[in-house]
Amino acid sequence: MKELTSTVISNRQIASNTYLLSLECEMDPYIPGQFVMVKAPSPGAFLRRPLGIMELKEGVLALLYKTRGEGTIALSMLKEGEAISVMGPLGNGFRIEDEAQAVYIAGGIGLPPLLSLYNKIKKGNFLIGARSEEDIPFDYIPARAEIATEDGSVGHKGLVTDILSGMNLKKPNIIYACGPVAMLKKVADISRHMNIPCQVSLEERMACGFGVCAGCVVKTVSGNKSVCALGPVFNAEEIIW
């Protein structure tokens, strides 16, 4: 893990409240599922923001994020050539196992780490859940991704877990998931019922990013664990939902 000063190459809106930030960054190689902590250019945003790594290729770091508060709004205003502090890669990524019939489930802003994993493996079924068509960055998702939207504007009308529940005839051999807690809990329930291994990447508010402040602790079957240092990827059966 290193703290680096990176230069903005581009920072473009690619969906509703969703931006793709490309940085010139000499960061160490990463494992899909790991993340970085970035310092937002705003006096009111004291803490760094954790962002999942979507890609690191030929010295260019790609980060996809949604504007949710002062820090991410400040990030969305970054212009080409500006400098930003980046710390990473951090945390533990996905453990790649038998991926022949893997299923990747991304909900909301859980998309970047799963895109990173899918682009590394290049196999399996990709499922995306969103509120509306406007929330989906179509230019960056796999061509054959199955989509669920809550308003029915594109794909299945309902939840992405509805699609997973209907896959009994083609049982996956591993599930990777990242998104809201309610979605992850449902994915964990389905995977347990179907007796399929499942890895989940948790999204929690973080202050330090490396296990010092204990601000992102979750309950597991083996005690409390910090998401930043011992996650964000866990086996689904570890988590006490």
Side-chain angles (χ1 to χ4, degrees):
M1 182 269 288
K2 294 180 180 177
E3 182 175 355
L4 305 163
T5 298
S6 301
T7 303
V8 176
I9 298 173
S10 64
N11 189 27
R12 298 183 295 110
Q13 185 170 1
I14 58 173
S16 178
N17 299 320
T18 304
Y19 290 76
L20 180 63
L21 175 62
S22 297
L23 300 170
E24 185 178 316
C25 183
E26 297 301 324
M27 194 173 73
D28 291 340
Y30 77 105
I31 299 170
Q34 288 189 291
F35 64 97
V36 294
M37 298 288 284
V38 299
K39 182 70 177 73
S42 169
F46 178 73
L47 299 176
R48 291 173 178 267
R49 264 54 180 177
L51 298 180
I53 300 170
M54 191 167 90
E55 185 180 68
L56 176 63
K57 187 176 182 181
E58 298 178 353
V60 177
L61 174 64
L63 303 171
L64 187 151
Y65 64 97
K66 276 187 174 289
T67 51
R68 288 177 166 171
E70 182 174 352
T72 46
I73 290 173
L75 286 178
S76 72
M77 296 178 181
L78 282 168
K79 304 298 184 186
E80 179 183 350
E82 290 191 81
I84 182 173
S85 175
V86 177
M87 190 166 62
L90 296 165
N92 295 305
F94 290 102
R95 299 170 298 283
I96 298 175
E97 300 179 7
D98 183 3
E99 71 280 4
Q101 293 183 31
V103 170
Y104 313 78
I105 305 173
I109 199 58
L111 186 59
L114 291 183
L115 279 178
S116 175
L117 182 65
Y118 179 84
N119 289 332
K120 181 180 181 68
I121 296 174
K122 301 287 188 185
K123 293 179 181 177
N125 297 302
F126 205 99
L127 314 182
I128 298 174
R131 291 181 180 174
S132 172
E133 179 180 16
E134 296 178 349
D135 295 317
I136 301 172
F138 287 97
D139 290 344
Y140 298 91
I141 65 175
R144 292 187 293 178
E146 296 184 67
I147 298 170
T149 50
E150 294 178 24
D151 66 0
S153 51
V154 65
H156 168 77
K157 183 176 182 179
L159 302 177
V160 68
T161 48
D162 299 340
I163 302 176
L164 179 64
S165 299
M167 298 184 72
N168 289 323
L169 296 178
K170 188 177 180 181
K171 184 178 176 180
N173 55 7
I174 187 164
I175 296 172
Y176 302 105
C178 185
V181 170
M183 185 202 86
L184 295 181
K185 182 178 185 299
K186 181 66 175 178
V187 171
D189 288 343
I190 294 171
S191 66
R192 183 172 57 254
H193 178 73
M194 297 172 74
N195 194 28
I196 301 168
C198 178
Q199 296 178 31
V200 295
S201 180
L202 302 183
E203 298 175 339
E204 290 288 337
R205 291 182 179 276
M206 300 176 184
C208 68
F210 45 84
V212 173
C213 70
C216 59
V217 167
V218 294
K219 293 181 178 179
T220 77
V221 294
S222 54
N224 293 340
K225 292 185 177 181
S226 60
V227 171
C228 62
L230 300 176
V233 178
F234 295 89
N235 289 323
E237 64 267 27
E238 285 186 72
I239 305 300
I240 298 175
W241 301 98

